[in-house]
Amino acid sequence: ADIMMSQEALISMKPTMNVCVGSQSGAYFRVVAGIMAPGNNSVNMVAMTTAGTGDSLAMLANGTCDAAFVQGDGYWNYVEANKGSALPFERVFSPYKEAVHLVCNEDGPKNIGALTGSNKVYFPSGSGAAETWKNFTGESDKYKQVNTVFNDPSMKVASYEEALLKVTGDKNACAV
C-alpha cells in the first residue's frame, strides 16, 4: 500500500519561518517570495512586508519575524543604538553589497555633493534609505541642512514610489 498526501498537507507539516523583507515592491521581497520560498522543501517561508530596515529590525527584535533582510548600515545603526545590551538576533551573512541611489529632477542637483538647504530629499520613514541618510548626516553637517522627513514632517511619504513621484514636479526634489 502507498500513502499519499496532498501538497497542502505536506506544507502544513513544515515549520513556518516569517522573514521581514521591506516593501512588497522591493528586492528583498522578490528574493524571499520569488526565489527562496517556492524552492524550499523544509520550511514554509513567509515574506512579511515592513516599512523597511528599521521596522524589520524592530520586528525581528520583538519576535514578529524569525529572520530579516536589512541594509548593512541599518544593522550597524541598531548595534550602535543598543550598545551594551544583548542583541536579540545574530547577523548571519551579507549576500551582496548595495549602493545608494539618488534620483533627482532633471533640472535639479546632479550628485549628492550638490545638495543644499533648498533641496528636498524624499524617502519613507523607517526605510533603509532613512538609515543611510542618518549616516550621511553623521558624516557631514551639510546633509542636515537638506530638507527631509527628519527635519520636515510634512515630507512624509509612504513608499519609494511616492518619493519618486515627488521628484517629477519639483526641480529641487530628489529621492534616495
Side-chain angles (χ1 to χ4, degrees):
D2 292 333
I3 296 176
M4 306 301 280
M5 294 182 79
S6 70
Q7 284 296 330
E8 292 79 16
L10 290 171
I11 288 171
S12 71
M13 296 173 65
K14 294 189 287 186
T16 297
M17 180 179 209
N18 294 320
V19 183
C20 284
V21 294
S23 71
Q24 191 169 3
S25 62
Y28 302 151
F29 180 87
R30 289 190 299 271
V31 166
V32 172
I35 298 170
M36 294 175 74
N40 193 317
N41 292 323
S42 57
V43 176
N44 292 321
M45 280 195 176
V46 177
M48 308 242 341
T49 58
T50 71
T53 290
D55 195 26
S56 293
L57 287 167
M59 291 173 72
L60 187 59
N62 73 23
T64 303
C65 291
D66 303 303
F69 274 82
V70 300
Q71 286 183 206
D73 56 357
Y75 169 80
W76 290 113
N77 288 346
Y78 187 93
V79 168
E80 182 69 23
N82 293 281
K83 280 184 185 173
S85 59
L87 295 178
F89 49 79
E90 183 176 327
R91 183 178 185 187
V92 180
F93 69 99
S94 297
Y96 53 88
K97 294 202 180 290
E98 291 190 83
V100 177
H101 300 280
L102 180 70
V103 178
C104 297
N105 184 285
E106 65 184 340
D107 297 322
K110 301 302 179 207
N111 58 56
I112 198 158
L115 292 171
T116 68
S118 65
N119 294 114
K120 300 174 202 160
V121 176
Y122 291 93
F123 46 80
S125 300
S127 67
E131 292 293 325
T132 299
W133 195 263
K134 285 180 199 172
N135 291 336
F136 284 145
T137 61
E139 293 293 325
S140 172
D141 286 341
K142 170 186 177 172
Y143 298 112
K144 291 178 184 173
Q145 307 309 312
V146 176
N147 298 300
T148 70
V149 68
F150 292 140
N151 55 17
D152 183 353
S154 72
M155 291 182 60
K156 184 175 182 175
V157 294
S159 66
Y160 290 113
E161 292 83 0
E162 186 179 347
L164 287 171
L165 287 173
K166 297 282 188 180
V167 173
T168 59
D170 184 345
K171 71 175 185 167
N172 290 315
C174 300
V176 174

